Amino acid sequence: MHRIALIAVLTALSVLPAAAQSFEGNWGCRDATSAKAGLLTIYGAVYGFASTTPGDAASGTGTITGYNNGVAFNDGGLKTAREITAGRVIVDATNGAAMQLETAQAIVMLCTPR
């Protein structure tokens, strides 16, 4: 019985690093007030962000560097207009997987898979 429990725990722990690396796809983002902020799409080494605010300078494309727990924004609208430097994949109690977008000072958006 203990052997089965140990195997189950080790299997669950081995899956966590793989789950943390899945930052590719479409993410619906909300700002600090929980208002819809936009749609973030990440594939490969590029991203696109479509803000809900017409004419927002944060909308557009840019490049990223992927890490084991998220991404670093190298350029593009999110980096220049909003000063977002990182997107960290986290486990959210409500939504499961989520990505928090961060500046050097604070978490500014929470994005969930779409």
Side-chain angles (χ1 to χ4, degrees):
M1 186 66 162
H2 292 306
R3 183 178 292 157
I4 294 171
L6 179 61
I7 291 171
V9 168
L10 291 175
T11 302
L13 289 176
S14 69
V15 172
L16 287 177
Q21 293 177 7
S22 51
F23 52 80
E24 290 189 343
N26 295 318
W27 301 84
C29 300
R30 295 187 174 271
D31 63 16
T33 66
S34 294
K36 290 182 180 178
L39 181 65
L40 174 65
T41 303
I42 298 176
Y43 284 103
V46 296
Y47 78 89
F49 182 74
S51 175
T52 56
T53 306
D56 188 349
S59 292
T61 61
T63 61
I64 58 164
T65 301
Y67 294 102
N68 66 340
N69 65 340
V71 298
F73 291 92
N74 301 326
D75 55 23
L78 286 177
K79 175 94 174 185
T80 57
R82 302 260 178 103
E83 299 179 355
I84 293 174
T85 57
R88 227 173 285 286
V89 177
I90 62 166
V91 176
D92 183 60
T94 306
N95 303 303
M99 182 181 299
Q100 60 187 26
L101 301 185
E102 306 170 357
T103 66
Q105 292 80 29
I107 298 167
V108 293
M109 282 190 244
L110 182 67
C111 306
T112 54
R114 302 217 11 119

